[in-house]
Amino acid sequence: MIRGLLKGLAKTLQQMFRPPITIQYPEERREVSPRFRGRPQLVTDESGNAKCVACCLCATICPPQAISIEPAEGEMHEKYPASFVIDLSRCIYCGFCQEACPKGAIRLSQEYELAQYQRKELVYTKERLMEGN
Ligand code: SF4
Ligand code: SF4
């Protein structure tokens, strides 16, 4: 029993002189893996408009049905989303929307600080989804 106790104390002492592996978040941050899937983001073109053509493939494939789109048509018969909403309280960050999109108009960004006090703040509108391009 004493032997086990001494062994445990030796291990503790050994760890005490090693550099800490923890960091002082949020002042310090670790690099995010390029494979990390964070907040979905609507990609914009050179003029700052969403590349989305409101085909609704992403909304159809989304497993928790977190995406709602209202398609509209412009003067030149081009399709665009009059409204594009993602409820992040339902999103499971699977990346299916990004894979299904034929226009590369939606991707999963590296943003991970998404905590909110109210559930309604997790409902991202088109304008919010276009942030960070
Ligand atoms: S990442 Fe997955 S769950 Fe989230 S919006 Fe895209 S398809 Fe839906
Ligand atoms: S799949 Fe792409 S183009 Fe189609 S509605 Fe979704 S984001 Fe827009």
Side-chain angles (χ1 to χ4, degrees), residues 42 51-59 67 69 81 84 97 100-106:
L42 279 179
K51 284 171 82 177
C52 174
V53 292
C55 67
C56 295
L57 274 177
C58 55
I67 307 177
I69 305 167
F84 194 115
C97 49
C101 181
K103 294 284 177 187
I106 190 166

Side-chain angles (χ1 to χ4, degrees), residues 40 58 61-64 66-67 86 90-97 108:
C58 55
I61 205 163
C62 176
I67 307 177
I86 300 185
R90 301 182 80 163
C91 177
I92 53 170
Y93 306 93
C94 61
F96 283 7
C97 49
L108 269 68

Side-chain angles (χ1 to χ4, degrees), residues 39-44 67 84-88 106-107 123-133:
R39 170 180 74 80
Q41 179 185 46
L42 279 179
V43 181
T44 55
I67 307 177
F84 194 115
V85 177
I86 300 185
D87 185 348
L88 288 193
I106 190 166
R107 66 174 167 229
V123 177
Y124 274 60
T125 58
K126 185 171 137 185
E127 290 68 32
R128 273 181 94 189
L129 288 168
M130 282 163 62
E131 281 169 14
N133 265 279

Side-chain angles (χ1 to χ4, degrees), residues 72-80:
E73 203 170 294
E75 284 172 10
M76 306 298 287
H77 303 291
E78 76 280 10
K79 291 272 186 71
Y80 70 94

